[in-house]
Amino acid sequence: MTFPLPPFGSAGEHRLQQQLGTADRAARFYDQQVRSHLTPQMRDFIGRQAMVFLATADSHGECDASFRAGPPGFVHVIDDHTLAYPEFRGNGVLASTGNMTENPHLGMLFVDFTHDHVGLHVNGAARLYTDTALRSLHPGLPTDVAPGRSPEMWVCVSVEEAYIHCSKYIPHLEPAPRSTSPAAARPKDADYFTGPRHGADQAPRA
């Protein structure tokens, strides 16, 4: 006898749940925690967040993980089923948005490390808009998301799943101000992991 699949989750996770005997536990999680829209509590939480982690994949399933940050509320909740965030000028690679043009599905993970110490997953489908085009549809978009910077485009997300990320293992961090001292200047981004390898071609020391 076969039972209907739960309304959330992939076929792969349901198969593993059956194999590992976790289907009942997973069903309780889907029923109690997963929603097909943003609840008022989720909307408030997103409005307080200053960063989000992104997961995208191209049409071949090749994945990319990225990160976005801005003033609290830079990810704007349009309604219970829709949110949007701005894309600003960067390194020109456009890895995440490029993936979205091939495969609109994306995952977003908001994590509050300092106050609520909890996370929120939002999965959905993305569509890219120019600033003018999205404002014509949603005039309530914030007008000064990042002072001095104008969005090159907006990512508009149709929410399909939203659910909590367990707080048990989220580290508790204390925010620290970024130093403006010249002595504390950081190296250029390119020098962190791909800078010159000093002595790399030299024979190892005895």
Side-chain angles (χ1 to χ4, degrees):
M1 181 177 182
T2 59
F3 295 91
L5 291 176
F8 299 107
S10 68
E13 67 189 72
H14 297 316
R15 282 195 298 269
L16 279 179
Q17 291 161 11
Q18 293 294 334
Q19 293 173 20
L20 300 178
T22 66
D24 289 344
R25 184 154 35 106
R28 287 193 297 272
F29 178 82
Y30 294 137
D31 180 61
Q32 298 172 9
Q33 302 289 354
V34 185
R35 298 293 179 265
S36 61
H37 63 279
L38 300 173
T39 66
Q41 295 85 353
M42 292 173 179
R43 295 177 61 161
D44 289 344
F45 181 81
I46 293 171
R48 297 193 300 272
Q49 302 314 302
M51 62 181 175
V52 63
F53 300 94
L54 298 177
T56 61
D58 65 16
S59 59
H60 301 289
E62 299 290 339
C63 299
D64 183 77
S66 194
F67 171 82
R68 296 292 182 275
F74 79 101
V75 177
H76 178 68
V77 178
I78 295 174
D79 56 44
D80 291 354
H81 296 275
T82 317
L83 52 80
Y85 69 88
E87 286 281 353
F88 298 105
R89 176 182 171 86
N91 59 16
V93 175
L94 305 174
S96 297
T97 49
N99 282 347
M100 294 173 198
T101 66
E102 298 184 38
N103 176 359
H105 300 289
L106 84 165
M108 308 176 75
L109 175 60
F110 299 87
V111 184
D112 188 324
F113 296 99
T114 61
H115 296 91
D116 296 303
H117 302 124
V118 72
L120 175 67
H121 293 262
V122 178
N123 297 328
R127 185 173 179 181
L128 305 181
Y129 288 88
T130 65
D131 186 70
T132 301
L134 191 58
R135 289 187 189 282
S136 69
L137 296 173
H138 302 288
L141 285 178
T143 56
D144 196 17
V145 182
R149 304 180 69 191
S150 298
E152 290 200 328
M153 69 183 83
W154 285 82
V155 176
C156 188
V157 181
S158 297
V159 176
E160 297 171 352
E161 293 181 346
Y163 57 94
I164 193 172
H165 184 95
C166 178
S167 63
K168 185 175 182 180
Y169 296 111
I170 292 177
H172 295 191
L173 306 178
E174 292 293 333
R178 178 175 291 184
S179 175
T180 57
S181 169
R186 299 180 301 169
K188 294 181 179 180
D189 291 348
D191 293 335
Y192 270 104
F193 303 119
T194 57
R197 296 178 297 168
H198 298 294
D201 296 326
Q202 300 175 0
R205 294 180 181 179

